[in-house]
Amino acid sequence: TWIEVNAQRFSNSLLVSSHLGATPSEWKVGQFTDLCASDFEVLTTLGAELVIFGSGKRLRFPQPVWLKSLIERGIGVETMDTPAACRTYNILASEGRKVVAALIIEF
């Protein structure tokens, strides 16, 4: 399983930002079951107005406490499976939105 961004393939979870340059960065999350609040806290530093969270191969919702830091800063969060998150990110980025995709890539 992999995601291709700008002709480069990624097989580990990653962060993609529409406004911080084209280079994705590693998101140190292995699986959905490994998530914790600090994994979402790092997303508050990326200047996004919206975070698209790709939960892996299937739709799974993060615990509300994990999202507290984003909500307190007025950053929206949408959750979907990773393939849907990639499609949604591409649409929003093409509209010029400040969006970050936080994508779990599972094997």
Side-chain angles (χ1 to χ4, degrees):
T1 304
W2 49 269
I3 293 174
E4 187 172 315
V5 180
N6 298 327
Q8 185 177 1
R9 289 186 180 185
F10 297 87
S11 56
N12 294 317
S13 299
L14 70 146
L15 301 173
V16 184
S17 173
S18 66
H19 58 287
L20 293 178
T23 305
S25 59
E26 181 181 359
W27 191 31
K28 298 182 185 205
V29 174
Q31 302 178 53
F32 182 86
T33 54
D34 297 332
L35 286 168
C36 64
S38 63
D39 296 316
F40 290 90
E41 176 104 17
V42 71
L43 304 176
T44 65
T45 66
L46 302 177
E49 61 184 343
L50 177 64
V51 171
I52 305 296
F53 169 57
S55 62
K57 293 180 181 180
R58 63 186 179 90
L59 176 62
R60 293 169 287 189
F61 291 94
Q63 295 180 25
V65 69
W66 297 347
L67 305 177
K68 184 179 179 197
S69 60
L70 292 163
I71 293 167
E72 287 175 341
R73 290 169 177 82
I75 301 170
V77 181
E78 292 293 333
T79 300
M80 51 198 76
D81 62 53
T82 295
C86 291
R87 293 187 300 269
T88 302
Y89 169 84
N90 285 333
I91 291 168
L92 294 174
S94 73
E95 294 174 350
R97 302 277 304 271
K98 289 185 176 180
V99 61
V100 167
L103 307 169
I104 294 178
I105 301 176
E106 298 175 313
F107 294 94

